Amino acid sequence: MRITLLLLVGLGVVPAAPAQNVFLAIEDDGAKMVKGVYNDHPQVEVAGKLQSSSTSRYALNPATLYRPGFVNFSDVRIVTSHINDLGGSGGTFNYELHIYAHATVDTVLKNCFMVLELNSWRDSGCVYQHLPDLGPGQGLNLELNFKLAEKLEEGRYRLHIFSDGIEVLHSRMPARYVALQKKKTDALLSGRTQDFPAIPAQPVAAIYPPDFKGPKVDGAARVRCHVSNKGDVTSVELVSATDPAFGAAALAAAPKWKFDPALKGRHFAESVTEIPFEFKAPP
């Protein structure tokens, strides 16, 4: 497998949650959806034909649905390393990102590529890689190396797999999230509905109140959230709580949640949803 050109670039748009996405090339005449990667260059459609994009600016932007199908990853490892070259110049570093994994799919996937979204405390960026076409039951061993422009500080990553420019669900996503996304995609593609409620994409657990008065007991709370058409929680209100302390803890956690926004007529829309929180008494 050919190693792709590394790009650790500032994203023009950084999604607030691991929502379904399209990968965009930001060119002078606007953003174009990347539909494949060929000879280390993202391919965009121009006048009905695919051609290499010449830009160095890319972005992940929300899309309406995932591509039907599922990619199962196993034995995933993502590590970074560097070589310190002190010969003559002094202090010159060669930074690298290494990805190891085994992938299998349940359907035919063509024009495949992977995007690894990187978010450290200081920078955000992405690297991308062409993947071969895959068929049902076929396995693929990934052993990819990317040269980074600078050291990647501690942070988070999200893995995105695309086929014909549309993101594919995969096993590195939470199981409940995948199930809801499959349900939404099936409903939209079948024409049964044009609407769908917001889907929790990045939940944040509430912390058991450290100053809880009295004997430590289990508790619960429910919070009503107003979610924007970008998936952010804009306001919260307490619906119920078994104790005021649990209510306060739930109200502190709920604004940190991120959602795939609701759909109304297949357009992103504001919505209202409720989040249940459970609290287990510490031992």
Side-chain angles (χ1 to χ4, degrees):
M1 181 181 296
R2 188 180 175 93
I3 296 176
T4 187
L5 164 74
L6 153 91
L7 287 177
L8 177 57
V9 297
L11 293 178
V13 180
V14 179
Q20 62 274 37
N21 293 278
V22 290
F23 188 47
L24 301 177
I26 312 300
E27 300 184 343
D28 293 338
D29 58 346
K32 295 183 175 67
M33 186 173 76
V34 175
K35 294 193 173 183
V37 175
Y38 180 71
N39 283 344
D40 304 337
H41 294 287
Q43 303 291 296
V44 297
E45 188 172 334
V46 178
K49 296 182 179 180
L50 293 182
Q51 67 178 39
S52 297
S53 173
S54 59
T55 185
S56 61
R57 299 173 57 220
Y58 298 91
L60 287 161
N61 215 27
T64 304
L65 50 78
Y66 281 92
R67 187 192 190 285
F70 186 73
V71 178
N72 185 61
F73 286 105
S74 58
D75 303 323
V76 177
R77 290 187 298 128
I78 299 181
V79 297
T80 59
S81 65
H82 69 269
I83 299 172
N84 186 4
D85 180 13
L86 299 177
S89 59
T92 299
F93 289 86
N94 179 24
Y95 300 106
E96 291 187 341
L97 174 71
H98 310 278
I99 303 174
Y100 308 95
H102 182 78
T104 55
V105 302
D106 62 357
T107 187
V108 175
L109 298 180
K110 294 186 176 182
N111 298 320
C112 303
F113 63 96
M114 177 188 68
V115 175
L116 189 67
E117 178 190 356
L118 309 166
N119 291 289
S120 69
W121 68 272
R122 186 177 60 182
D123 295 303
S124 296
C126 58
V127 291
Y128 54 78
Q129 167 70 58
H130 164 77
L131 298 176
D133 294 348
L134 294 170
Q138 281 187 306
L140 171 66
N141 287 318
L142 299 177
E143 188 172 336
L144 312 175
N145 299 298
F146 301 92
K147 296 192 181 298
L148 302 177
E150 58 184 71
K151 183 179 180 181
L152 179 66
E153 303 293 345
E154 290 187 6
R156 297 176 300 169
Y157 73 87
R158 295 185 184 124
L159 193 63
H160 305 271
I161 303 295
F162 294 87
S163 174
D164 290 322
I166 303 175
E167 190 165 7
V168 182
L169 293 165
H170 60 78
S171 60
R172 301 295 287 180
M173 299 172 175
R176 183 175 181 274
Y177 178 80
V178 170
L180 288 172
Q181 288 292 357
K182 284 185 174 180
K183 182 178 179 181
K184 179 177 78 171
T185 297
D186 290 344
L188 291 174
L189 292 180
S190 68
R192 294 195 304 271
T193 184
Q194 300 292 302
D195 306 336
F196 206 85
I199 296 176
Q202 188 176 315
V204 176
I207 299 174
Y208 193 97
D211 55 350
F212 188 82
K213 297 179 180 179
K216 297 295 187 291
V217 296
D218 293 349
R222 179 173 288 271
V223 174
R224 182 176 295 116
C225 298
H226 296 260
V227 182
S228 74
N229 61 0
K230 295 182 179 179
D232 298 313
V233 176
T234 56
S235 64
V236 297
E237 56 192 75
L238 186 64
V239 176
S240 62
T242 56
D243 186 277
F246 295 134
L251 287 172
K256 301 175 184 177
W257 280 48
K258 303 293 183 182
F259 290 81
D260 283 2
L263 293 176
K264 297 289 180 65
R266 294 190 71 158
H267 293 284
F268 295 128
E270 297 179 357
S271 63
V272 177
T273 188
E274 293 188 2
I275 303 175
F277 290 92
E278 293 186 357
F279 299 85
K280 296 295 181 181

